[in-house]
Amino acid sequence: MAITSPETYWWKPADKEEKLWITIAIVWCLILFTMMPLWHIVGGQNPSVEPLKIRPKDYEKISDAFIEKYKIGEESGIPVVKPPDGADVYLRGQMWNWMPILELKKGVNYKFHISSIDLMHGFSLQPLVMNFQIVPGHDNILNITPTSSGTFHIICNEFCGINHHTMVGKIVVKD
Amino acid sequence: MAANALEFRTCPITGKKVYATAQNLIWANAVTAVVFILVGGLAALLVLLTRWPAVHLLSPDLFYRILTLHPIAALVAWIIFFEVAGLYFGCTVLLNSRIAAPKVAWLAYFLMLVGAALVAVEILIGNADVMFTSYIPLQASPLYYLGVILFAVGALVACGIFFGTLAIAKAEKTYEGSLPLVTFGLSAAAIIAVWTLASGAIIYIPTFLWSLGVIKNIDAAMYRLIFWGFGHASQQINVTAMVSVWYLLGVLTVGLKPVNEKVCRSAFVLYIFFINLASEHHLLTDPTLSPAHKIANTSYFIYMAALASMIHALAIPMAVEVAQRKKGYTKGIFEWLTKAPWGEPGFPALVFSLFIFGFIGGITGIVNGTEQLSIKSHNTWAMTGHFHGTVVGGTTLAFMGLTYYLIPLVFRREIIGKKWATAQPYIYGIGLIIFTLSMIAAGTLGVPRRHWDITFADSIIPFSFDPTAILLVTLTALGGLTAIVGGAIYVGVAVLSVFFGRKLAPNEAKLI
Ligand code: HEM
Ligand SMILES: [Cu+2]
Ligand SMILES: [Cu+2]
């Protein structure tokens, strides 16, 4: 029994059934193992591939400049920004909103720099459900090409203080 | 407590020697574990009723506070106190041995108790609204971190007692040949625990100093990396201990004998070598690690550990079948299963635990742990559903099933409410299946974890989820309530039996 010591020589070959199962399991593991790097290359979507550190103060300056340069209006007190095609886009998580509201063009590639100037935030794009961890001091760089037009929302799914659940941002994609 | 170190009785069921000092320590750790699952369960009820939009019970500050308490009480205190009880059981009773340094073992117990109580109190009085992950730059009071450190040191000392007892048993030749499989598995869990608790110290000590102002700056991403080196690895203690308990439940219910000791033991060794390394799957969407690093860490190594689970997933049902067939249940393909002891709590607990762990927790774990699919599930309820499959449906349910046998076997009390005990794994298991599956489904529609209001009523920019998502949250609540009823039955039966159950006579070989 499993609660008593086994007989003296227990290093015995496995049964046929066990060997078969273990072989199947190993093959399955190998398939999964090759899928991961393979999908990184052939798949269209990957998390950030360029880790970069940036001090929250510096990031705030750059993102303020970005907002000022391309601002086209304001909505509920939050600036609306329309960056030119192919521009570097700065999206800032802060307690408790995503700054600014972005207006993008369908089919155009943007280089997103998402970071935080205070706590961690969770970038969660709805309704596509794509999620990234946003860490102060680190720039989450993502190359994004919107493939459909419409209004998208960003909710926060990392706890960031008492009003965490009110943190909603917006991206509008136009044709 | 003051038992003579050499006083023992002989168990009328297993014929093993049970030393009074060891028995008292197992008792104290197991009873404390049950107290903490009661706290964790009450917290679960409050959190669940708040997340259910139709009820929305707590205010935001209380919600985030109780949401910090729930995993501390359930995941940390309940599970680890129970594991310490299990480790002591595995190294003393199963090996006929006395326990090494009982005074030090009591010290370990009190360190853990003081630590856990300190953490719980700090949370409840509002000094640590930081979630159990306490991600920097969120800051809790120094006492909170100190509590965690005391608890971890206590648990580390308990592992030392376990290894010390193994050495004593070997030296005093209390058993012949190799360790029994269950003790071997528990040893694997203890080895993983030592590594885990060490990285726990590496991250909590500087964080403690940071909360005191001694250290000025800790990088938030670095904290996450090391926290999960500790946090994820500690889940592997739970997996390994749970698998050991599966074998133990197999013995207690059908007299399981491993079909091939080599296969089972090798699988445990795979856990030791590979399972810790997968901890970076928590960081797949972080801007910290290079893709090569992530892929190596979370694909190559984790699959070797998944292989180990696959091996146990065959070895256990296979050994159950062999044991049942030996008893004469040989008709057709499935008589061994239909004639299994479904009417006593240990067997359904084993089956539900295996099923929920493998098919819900395990599969979603492998899925969520891939680089791209993590983008879909990171920080959503799909994650929360996944780990309620592993650590609740798997580990907690297995430990609950074992409790009904430890009470007569080690504490020599008859179970009060055997029918309730038998129904409990079914209620808890079915509740959890509904709870976890609905939670995962809600998560795939974007429902976030750790969120007070998914209707976003107070947001400047309005947003609302698809009604299907809200429906799934409601289903989650109903499944969760069912599971909580099961949890309440467990606590009721365990507490009543331990304190008021009829004392069994010394030669009474009654199990359940
Ligand atoms: C029937 C019992 C249980 C129910 C109904 C339940 C329910 C919940 C709910 C509703 C949440 C909050 C999700 C959120 O707001 O994101 C949660 C979180 C959690 N639960 Fe449970 N739970 C139960 C048992 C347990 C047990 C036994 C454990 C550990 C062994 C556990 C570990 C956790 C953890 C680690 C979290 C994550 C907290 C966080 O995101 O910070 N739960 N649970
Ligand atoms: Cu946030
Ligand atoms: Cu947040």
Side-chain angles (χ1 to χ4, degrees), chain A residues 121 156 158 160 167:
Chain A
H121 298 281
C156 179
E158 183 56 83
C160 57
M167 183 163 166

Side-chain angles (χ1 to χ4, degrees), chain B residues 90-382:
Chain B
C91 68
T92 60
V93 178
L94 292 188
L95 298 184
N96 298 302
S97 176
R98 66 190 171 88
I99 195 159
K103 289 208 178 96
V104 182
W106 280 107
L107 175 71
Y109 169 75
F110 285 111
L111 279 175
M112 286 171 65
L113 186 63
V114 170
L118 193 58
V119 171
V121 169
E122 283 299 295
I123 293 171
L124 280 171
I125 62 178
N127 281 345
D129 294 338
V130 292
M131 306 286 114
F132 81 108
T133 42
S134 57
Y135 288 143
I136 282 174
L138 284 170
Q139 196 175 61
S141 66
L143 285 181
Y144 172 88
Y145 303 108
L146 184 65
V148 177
I149 293 169
L150 291 179
F151 184 86
V153 170
L156 199 54
V157 174
C159 291
I161 298 287
F162 174 80
F163 291 119
T165 306
L166 289 189
I168 287 181
K170 181 115 209 142
E172 296 180 354
K173 298 200 170 51
T174 61
Y175 66 99
E176 266 172 46
S178 309
L179 290 176
L181 180 62
V182 172
T183 311
F184 185 87
L186 289 171
S187 312
I191 292 170
I192 299 173
V194 170
W195 142 277
T196 294
L197 295 163
S199 39
I202 293 176
I203 198 60
Y204 273 98
I205 290 171
T207 313
F208 172 58
L209 295 174
W210 171 72
S211 72
L212 286 170
V214 178
I215 293 179
K216 283 281 160 300
N217 221 328
I218 298 179
D219 183 78
M222 176 58 77
Y223 174 87
R224 256 174 77 78
L225 178 71
I226 303 179
F227 179 86
W228 285 116
F230 158 70
H232 182 76
S234 67
Q235 302 321 306
Q236 311 313 331
I237 314 172
N238 304 342
V239 172
T240 312
M242 171 191 72
V243 174
S244 311
V245 169
W246 284 349
Y247 283 105
L248 185 52
L249 281 173
V251 174
L252 295 168
T253 53
V254 300
L256 173 148
K257 184 177 181 306
V259 175
N260 188 310
E261 294 270 354
K262 179 179 85 173
V263 170
C264 302
R265 285 167 200 248
S266 309
F268 276 119
V269 173
L270 282 179
Y271 277 152
I272 301 177
F273 282 124
F274 293 104
I275 212 157
N276 290 329
L277 293 159
S279 41
E280 284 170 16
H281 66 204
H282 289 263
L283 311 185
L284 286 173
T285 73
D286 284 35
T288 336
L289 303 167
S290 70
H293 195 141
K294 287 180 196 169
I295 290 172
N297 181 280
T298 57
S299 81
Y300 177 48
F301 297 121
I302 183 65
Y303 295 141
M304 294 305 285
L307 177 64
S309 293
M310 295 288 282
I311 293 175
H312 292 301
L314 174 80
I316 291 173
M318 189 171 177
V320 169
E321 176 173 352
V322 170
Q324 285 286 88
R325 283 185 188 272
K326 264 206 193 118
K327 288 188 191 151
Y329 300 121
T330 50
K331 249 187 266 146
I333 311 183
F334 283 122
E335 198 196 20
W336 65 273
L337 190 60
T338 53
K339 290 277 164 63
W342 294 99
E344 61 170 286
F347 196 76
L350 169 63
V351 173
F352 273 108
S353 174
L354 238 158
F355 176 84
I356 301 176
F357 180 85
F359 285 94
I360 300 182
I363 290 179
T364 56
I366 296 288
V367 170
N368 295 339
T370 50
E371 197 195 7
Q372 294 79 13
L373 290 171
S374 176
I375 300 177
K376 292 296 289 174
S377 53
H378 183 66
N379 276 352
T380 68
W381 250 19

Side-chain angles (χ1 to χ4, degrees), chain B residues 413-428:
Chain B
R413 298 269 190 173
E414 192 177 26
I415 292 290
I416 294 183
K418 191 192 153 196
K419 286 218 177 89
W420 288 94
T422 304
Q424 192 269 335
Y426 292 93
I427 300 174
Y428 201 70

